[in-house]
mmCIF file of all heavy atoms in Angstrom:
data_model
loop_
_atom_site.group_PDB
_atom_site.id
_atom_site.type_symbol
_atom_site.label_atom_id
_atom_site.label_comp_id
_atom_site.label_asym_id
_atom_site.label_seq_id
_atom_site.Cartn_x
_atom_site.Cartn_y
_atom_site.Cartn_z
ATOM 1 N N PHE Q 1 -6.841 5.456 -99.049
ATOM 2 C CA PHE Q 1 -6.321 6.823 -99.027
ATOM 3 C C PHE Q 1 -6.136 7.194 -97.589
ATOM 4 O O PHE Q 1 -7.034 6.982 -96.742
ATOM 5 C CB PHE Q 1 -7.280 7.862 -99.650
ATOM 6 C CG PHE Q 1 -7.484 7.581 -101.120
ATOM 7 C CD1 PHE Q 1 -8.584 6.740 -101.483
ATOM 8 C CD2 PHE Q 1 -6.695 8.123 -102.121
ATOM 9 C CE1 PHE Q 1 -8.713 6.517 -102.901
ATOM 10 C CE2 PHE Q 1 -6.949 7.945 -103.460
ATOM 11 C CZ PHE Q 1 -7.983 7.181 -103.825
ATOM 12 N N VAL Q 2 -5.002 7.870 -97.254
ATOM 13 C CA VAL Q 2 -4.745 8.372 -95.941
ATOM 14 C C VAL Q 2 -4.456 9.821 -96.039
ATOM 15 O O VAL Q 2 -3.497 10.297 -96.630
ATOM 16 C CB VAL Q 2 -3.570 7.639 -95.262
ATOM 17 C CG1 VAL Q 2 -3.278 8.261 -93.856
ATOM 18 C CG2 VAL Q 2 -3.848 6.188 -95.096
ATOM 19 N N TYR Q 3 -5.290 10.668 -95.452
ATOM 20 C CA TYR Q 3 -5.223 12.148 -95.423
ATOM 21 C C TYR Q 3 -4.716 12.449 -94.027
ATOM 22 O O TYR Q 3 -5.332 12.238 -92.978
ATOM 23 C CB TYR Q 3 -6.574 12.783 -95.668
ATOM 24 C CG TYR Q 3 -6.483 14.204 -96.091
ATOM 25 C CD1 TYR Q 3 -6.822 14.613 -97.418
ATOM 26 C CD2 TYR Q 3 -6.124 15.234 -95.266
ATOM 27 C CE1 TYR Q 3 -6.778 15.934 -97.813
ATOM 28 C CE2 TYR Q 3 -6.015 16.499 -95.650
ATOM 29 C CZ TYR Q 3 -6.411 16.893 -96.942
ATOM 30 O OH TYR Q 3 -6.293 18.151 -97.405
ATOM 31 N N VAL Q 4 -3.487 13.104 -93.977
ATOM 32 C CA VAL Q 4 -2.847 13.416 -92.724
ATOM 33 C C VAL Q 4 -2.897 14.907 -92.523
ATOM 34 O O VAL Q 4 -2.640 15.692 -93.465
ATOM 35 C CB VAL Q 4 -1.397 12.918 -92.671
ATOM 36 C CG1 VAL Q 4 -0.768 13.400 -91.427
ATOM 37 C CG2 VAL Q 4 -1.400 11.386 -92.710
ATOM 38 N N LYS Q 5 -3.282 15.312 -91.268
ATOM 39 C CA LYS Q 5 -3.400 16.726 -90.995
ATOM 40 C C LYS Q 5 -3.323 16.919 -89.510
ATOM 41 O O LYS Q 5 -3.910 16.167 -88.744
ATOM 42 C CB LYS Q 5 -4.736 17.314 -91.554
ATOM 43 C CG LYS Q 5 -4.888 18.822 -91.306
ATOM 44 C CD LYS Q 5 -3.987 19.578 -92.300
ATOM 45 C CE LYS Q 5 -4.146 21.061 -92.091
ATOM 46 N NZ LYS Q 5 -3.308 21.543 -90.894
ATOM 47 N N ASN Q 6 -2.611 18.016 -89.070
ATOM 48 C CA ASN Q 6 -2.661 18.313 -87.669
ATOM 49 C C ASN Q 6 -3.740 19.318 -87.355
ATOM 50 O O ASN Q 6 -4.137 20.126 -88.242
ATOM 51 C CB ASN Q 6 -1.299 18.960 -87.236
ATOM 52 C CG ASN Q 6 -1.333 19.501 -85.833
ATOM 53 O OD1 ASN Q 6 -1.684 20.690 -85.666
ATOM 54 N ND2 ASN Q 6 -1.107 18.692 -84.858
ATOM 55 N N TRP Q 7 -4.307 19.287 -86.268
ATOM 56 C CA TRP Q 7 -5.184 20.354 -85.661
ATOM 57 C C TRP Q 7 -5.040 20.438 -84.173
ATOM 58 O O TRP Q 7 -4.664 19.424 -83.494
ATOM 59 C CB TRP Q 7 -6.627 20.122 -86.096
ATOM 60 C CG TRP Q 7 -7.244 18.808 -85.651
ATOM 61 C CD1 TRP Q 7 -7.847 18.536 -84.477
ATOM 62 C CD2 TRP Q 7 -7.300 17.572 -86.452
ATOM 63 N NE1 TRP Q 7 -8.294 17.242 -84.439
ATOM 64 C CE2 TRP Q 7 -7.958 16.644 -85.583
ATOM 65 C CE3 TRP Q 7 -6.901 17.238 -87.692
ATOM 66 C CZ2 TRP Q 7 -8.161 15.330 -86.068
ATOM 67 C CZ3 TRP Q 7 -7.140 15.937 -88.117
ATOM 68 C CH2 TRP Q 7 -7.760 14.979 -87.274
ATOM 69 N N SER Q 8 -5.297 21.589 -83.633
ATOM 70 C CA SER Q 8 -5.265 21.818 -82.172
ATOM 71 C C SER Q 8 -6.523 21.275 -81.569
ATOM 72 O O SER Q 8 -7.430 20.832 -82.232
ATOM 73 C CB SER Q 8 -4.999 23.284 -81.839
ATOM 74 O OG SER Q 8 -6.066 24.025 -82.447
ATOM 75 N N SER Q 9 -6.561 21.244 -80.254
ATOM 76 C CA SER Q 9 -7.685 20.741 -79.528
ATOM 77 C C SER Q 9 -8.879 21.663 -79.780
ATOM 78 O O SER Q 9 -8.785 22.885 -79.815
ATOM 79 C CB SER Q 9 -7.380 20.652 -77.994
ATOM 80 O OG SER Q 9 -8.554 20.300 -77.273
ATOM 81 N N TYR Q 10 -10.108 21.008 -79.914
ATOM 82 C CA TYR Q 10 -11.333 21.757 -80.023
ATOM 83 C C TYR Q 10 -11.942 22.001 -78.664
ATOM 84 O O TYR Q 10 -12.408 23.058 -78.316
ATOM 85 C CB TYR Q 10 -12.288 21.071 -80.906
ATOM 86 C CG TYR Q 10 -13.592 21.755 -81.068
ATOM 87 C CD1 TYR Q 10 -13.697 22.916 -81.926
ATOM 88 C CD2 TYR Q 10 -14.727 21.411 -80.413
ATOM 89 C CE1 TYR Q 10 -14.932 23.583 -82.043
ATOM 90 C CE2 TYR Q 10 -15.942 22.067 -80.493
ATOM 91 C CZ TYR Q 10 -16.034 23.154 -81.358
ATOM 92 O OH TYR Q 10 -17.178 23.838 -81.480
ATOM 93 N N SER Q 11 -11.924 20.925 -77.843
ATOM 94 C CA SER Q 11 -12.527 21.023 -76.471
ATOM 95 C C SER Q 11 -11.730 21.946 -75.515
ATOM 96 O O SER Q 11 -12.284 22.781 -74.830
ATOM 97 C CB SER Q 11 -12.703 19.637 -75.916
ATOM 98 O OG SER Q 11 -11.475 18.979 -75.790
ATOM 99 N N ASP Q 12 -10.380 21.784 -75.561
ATOM 100 C CA ASP Q 12 -9.537 22.676 -74.848
ATOM 101 C C ASP Q 12 -8.991 23.626 -75.885
ATOM 102 O O ASP Q 12 -7.806 23.590 -76.324
ATOM 103 C CB ASP Q 12 -8.406 21.862 -74.194
ATOM 104 C CG ASP Q 12 -7.618 22.624 -73.116
ATOM 105 O OD1 ASP Q 12 -7.895 23.847 -72.910
ATOM 106 O OD2 ASP Q 12 -6.638 22.089 -72.631
ATOM 107 N N TYR Q 13 -9.790 24.590 -76.300
ATOM 108 C CA TYR Q 13 -9.739 25.248 -77.581
ATOM 109 C C TYR Q 13 -8.339 25.928 -77.866
ATOM 110 O O TYR Q 13 -7.750 26.662 -77.105
ATOM 111 C CB TYR Q 13 -10.801 26.331 -77.694
ATOM 112 C CG TYR Q 13 -10.930 26.885 -79.079
ATOM 113 C CD1 TYR Q 13 -11.407 26.067 -80.091
ATOM 114 C CD2 TYR Q 13 -10.517 28.220 -79.413
ATOM 115 C CE1 TYR Q 13 -11.570 26.482 -81.376
ATOM 116 C CE2 TYR Q 13 -10.715 28.675 -80.753
ATOM 117 C CZ TYR Q 13 -11.239 27.810 -81.686
ATOM 118 O OH TYR Q 13 -11.258 28.265 -82.990
ATOM 119 N N GLY Q 14 -7.797 25.460 -79.041
ATOM 120 C CA GLY Q 14 -6.557 26.035 -79.553
ATOM 121 C C GLY Q 14 -5.269 25.540 -78.860
ATOM 122 O O GLY Q 14 -4.178 26.060 -79.194
ATOM 123 N N GLN Q 15 -5.403 24.578 -78.012
ATOM 124 C CA GLN Q 15 -4.264 24.064 -77.163
ATOM 125 C C GLN Q 15 -3.607 22.912 -77.932
ATOM 126 O O GLN Q 15 -4.260 22.084 -78.636
ATOM 127 C CB GLN Q 15 -4.660 23.646 -75.813
ATOM 128 C CG GLN Q 15 -5.174 24.817 -75.010
ATOM 129 C CD GLN Q 15 -4.225 25.930 -74.891
ATOM 130 O OE1 GLN Q 15 -3.058 25.836 -74.395
ATOM 131 N NE2 GLN Q 15 -4.634 27.163 -75.249
ATOM 132 N N VAL Q 16 -2.305 22.823 -77.752
ATOM 133 C CA VAL Q 16 -1.545 21.631 -78.200
ATOM 134 C C VAL Q 16 -1.361 20.684 -77.018
ATOM 135 O O VAL Q 16 -0.646 20.973 -76.046
ATOM 136 C CB VAL Q 16 -0.104 22.033 -78.714
ATOM 137 C CG1 VAL Q 16 0.693 20.804 -79.045
ATOM 138 C CG2 VAL Q 16 -0.223 22.981 -79.976
ATOM 139 N N LEU Q 17 -2.099 19.582 -77.051
ATOM 140 C CA LEU Q 17 -2.141 18.682 -75.890
ATOM 141 C C LEU Q 17 -1.035 17.620 -76.036
ATOM 142 O O LEU Q 17 -0.619 17.002 -75.033
ATOM 143 C CB LEU Q 17 -3.499 17.996 -75.851
ATOM 144 C CG LEU Q 17 -4.737 18.896 -75.796
ATOM 145 C CD1 LEU Q 17 -6.056 18.063 -75.692
ATOM 146 C CD2 LEU Q 17 -4.652 19.818 -74.602
ATOM 147 N N SER Q 18 -0.574 17.350 -77.231
ATOM 148 C CA SER Q 18 0.350 16.339 -77.481
ATOM 149 C C SER Q 18 1.224 16.664 -78.751
ATOM 150 O O SER Q 18 0.666 17.191 -79.675
ATOM 151 C CB SER Q 18 -0.291 15.003 -77.641
ATOM 152 O OG SER Q 18 0.573 14.027 -78.067
ATOM 153 N N LYS Q 19 2.480 16.198 -78.723
ATOM 154 C CA LYS Q 19 3.323 16.284 -79.922
ATOM 155 C C LYS Q 19 3.898 14.873 -80.133
ATOM 156 O O LYS Q 19 5.033 14.655 -80.567
ATOM 157 C CB LYS Q 19 4.478 17.286 -79.785
ATOM 158 C CG LYS Q 19 3.995 18.690 -79.651
ATOM 159 C CD LYS Q 19 5.133 19.623 -79.438
ATOM 160 C CE LYS Q 19 4.714 21.030 -79.123
ATOM 161 N NZ LYS Q 19 5.861 22.004 -78.955
ATOM 162 N N ASP Q 20 3.057 13.836 -79.895
ATOM 163 C CA ASP Q 20 3.463 12.474 -79.890
ATOM 164 C C ASP Q 20 3.913 12.035 -81.288
ATOM 165 O O ASP Q 20 3.176 11.878 -82.161
ATOM 166 C CB ASP Q 20 2.309 11.626 -79.356
ATOM 167 C CG ASP Q 20 2.743 10.143 -79.232
ATOM 168 O OD1 ASP Q 20 3.827 9.804 -79.554
ATOM 169 O OD2 ASP Q 20 1.861 9.348 -78.761
ATOM 170 N N LEU Q 21 5.241 11.792 -81.462
ATOM 171 C CA LEU Q 21 5.796 11.415 -82.766
ATOM 172 C C LEU Q 21 5.410 10.072 -83.215
ATOM 173 O O LEU Q 21 5.584 9.623 -84.306
ATOM 174 C CB LEU Q 21 7.284 11.588 -82.744
ATOM 175 C CG LEU Q 21 7.814 13.005 -82.658
ATOM 176 C CD1 LEU Q 21 9.377 13.078 -82.620
ATOM 177 C CD2 LEU Q 21 7.328 13.874 -83.817
ATOM 178 N N ASP Q 22 4.737 9.270 -82.289
ATOM 179 C CA ASP Q 22 4.242 7.966 -82.676
ATOM 180 C C ASP Q 22 3.112 8.032 -83.692
ATOM 181 O O ASP Q 22 2.771 7.095 -84.326
ATOM 182 C CB ASP Q 22 3.693 7.208 -81.441
ATOM 183 C CG ASP Q 22 4.814 6.723 -80.491
ATOM 184 O OD1 ASP Q 22 5.988 6.614 -80.998
ATOM 185 O OD2 ASP Q 22 4.576 6.433 -79.349
ATOM 186 N N TRP Q 23 2.530 9.271 -83.806
ATOM 187 C CA TRP Q 23 1.439 9.505 -84.803
ATOM 188 C C TRP Q 23 1.965 10.016 -86.098
ATOM 189 O O TRP Q 23 1.211 10.174 -87.045
ATOM 190 C CB TRP Q 23 0.460 10.495 -84.227
ATOM 191 C CG TRP Q 23 -0.504 9.899 -83.254
ATOM 192 C CD1 TRP Q 23 -0.209 9.595 -81.918
ATOM 193 C CD2 TRP Q 23 -1.838 9.440 -83.471
ATOM 194 N NE1 TRP Q 23 -1.301 8.995 -81.312
ATOM 195 C CE2 TRP Q 23 -2.303 8.898 -82.217
ATOM 196 C CE3 TRP Q 23 -2.641 9.428 -84.566
ATOM 197 C CZ2 TRP Q 23 -3.578 8.365 -82.102
ATOM 198 C CZ3 TRP Q 23 -3.967 8.977 -84.434
ATOM 199 C CH2 TRP Q 23 -4.397 8.425 -83.282
ATOM 200 N N THR Q 24 3.356 10.202 -86.276
ATOM 201 C CA THR Q 24 3.909 10.632 -87.542
ATOM 202 C C THR Q 24 3.583 9.501 -88.563
ATOM 203 O O THR Q 24 3.737 8.271 -88.262
ATOM 204 C CB THR Q 24 5.399 10.803 -87.374
ATOM 205 O OG1 THR Q 24 5.687 11.848 -86.433
ATOM 206 C CG2 THR Q 24 6.059 11.146 -88.727
ATOM 207 N N MET Q 25 3.297 9.854 -89.845
ATOM 208 C CA MET Q 25 2.963 8.914 -90.825
ATOM 209 C C MET Q 25 4.305 8.409 -91.447
ATOM 210 O O MET Q 25 5.144 9.094 -91.808
ATOM 211 C CB MET Q 25 2.144 9.566 -91.970
ATOM 212 C CG MET Q 25 1.586 8.600 -92.973
ATOM 213 S SD MET Q 25 0.707 7.098 -92.304
ATOM 214 C CE MET Q 25 -0.569 7.930 -91.319
ATOM 215 N N THR Q 26 4.382 7.077 -91.446
ATOM 216 C CA THR Q 26 5.501 6.336 -91.985
ATOM 217 C C THR Q 26 5.109 5.432 -93.129
ATOM 218 O O THR Q 26 3.945 5.144 -93.339
ATOM 219 C CB THR Q 26 6.220 5.516 -90.913
ATOM 220 O OG1 THR Q 26 5.288 4.487 -90.503
ATOM 221 C CG2 THR Q 26 6.532 6.330 -89.655
ATOM 222 N N GLU Q 27 6.108 4.966 -93.821
ATOM 223 C CA GLU Q 27 5.846 4.000 -94.993
ATOM 224 C C GLU Q 27 5.145 2.745 -94.407
ATOM 225 O O GLU Q 27 4.233 2.255 -95.070
ATOM 226 C CB GLU Q 27 7.129 3.642 -95.695
ATOM 227 C CG GLU Q 27 7.724 4.632 -96.632
ATOM 228 C CD GLU Q 27 8.882 4.099 -97.368
ATOM 229 O OE1 GLU Q 27 9.852 3.768 -96.798
ATOM 230 O OE2 GLU Q 27 8.803 4.004 -98.684
ATOM 231 N N GLN Q 28 5.625 2.286 -93.291
ATOM 232 C CA GLN Q 28 5.045 1.079 -92.722
ATOM 233 C C GLN Q 28 3.617 1.285 -92.401
ATOM 234 O O GLN Q 28 2.698 0.436 -92.712
ATOM 235 C CB GLN Q 28 5.826 0.680 -91.487
ATOM 236 C CG GLN Q 28 5.307 -0.604 -90.834
ATOM 237 C CD GLN Q 28 6.137 -1.094 -89.597
ATOM 238 O OE1 GLN Q 28 7.039 -0.432 -89.273
ATOM 239 N NE2 GLN Q 28 5.748 -2.115 -89.023
ATOM 240 N N LYS Q 29 3.257 2.398 -91.749
ATOM 241 C CA LYS Q 29 1.798 2.636 -91.404
ATOM 242 C C LYS Q 29 0.959 2.852 -92.700
ATOM 243 O O LYS Q 29 -0.154 2.394 -92.778
ATOM 244 C CB LYS Q 29 1.764 3.956 -90.556
ATOM 245 C CG LYS Q 29 2.234 3.837 -89.152
ATOM 246 C CD LYS Q 29 2.043 5.167 -88.448
ATOM 247 C CE LYS Q 29 2.643 5.141 -87.112
ATOM 248 N NZ LYS Q 29 2.433 6.473 -86.475
ATOM 249 N N LEU Q 30 1.517 3.549 -93.705
ATOM 250 C CA LEU Q 30 0.754 3.838 -94.865
ATOM 251 C C LEU Q 30 0.379 2.636 -95.643
ATOM 252 O O LEU Q 30 -0.740 2.571 -96.237
ATOM 253 C CB LEU Q 30 1.575 4.852 -95.766
ATOM 254 C CG LEU Q 30 0.893 5.327 -97.026
ATOM 255 C CD1 LEU Q 30 -0.249 6.262 -96.636
ATOM 256 C CD2 LEU Q 30 1.862 6.131 -97.923
ATOM 257 N N GLY Q 31 1.270 1.652 -95.671
ATOM 258 C CA GLY Q 31 0.973 0.414 -96.351
ATOM 259 C C GLY Q 31 0.842 0.729 -97.898
ATOM 260 O O GLY Q 31 1.707 1.359 -98.472
ATOM 261 N N LYS Q 32 -0.199 0.251 -98.488
ATOM 262 C CA LYS Q 32 -0.401 0.446 -99.952
ATOM 263 C C LYS Q 32 -1.280 1.680 -100.232
ATOM 264 O O LYS Q 32 -1.587 1.920 -101.408
ATOM 265 C CB LYS Q 32 -1.083 -0.839 -100.497
ATOM 266 C CG LYS Q 32 -0.252 -2.083 -100.419
ATOM 267 C CD LYS Q 32 -0.854 -3.277 -101.041
ATOM 268 C CE LYS Q 32 -0.018 -4.516 -100.940
ATOM 269 N NZ LYS Q 32 -0.664 -5.718 -101.534
#
């Protein structure tokens, strides 16, 4: 099971540190 969710930084509270699309979930990453 893969549960995908975004959240902002906790240490740098509430900040968006990255919008790296390499972390987007794809069929290839999900596998079975």
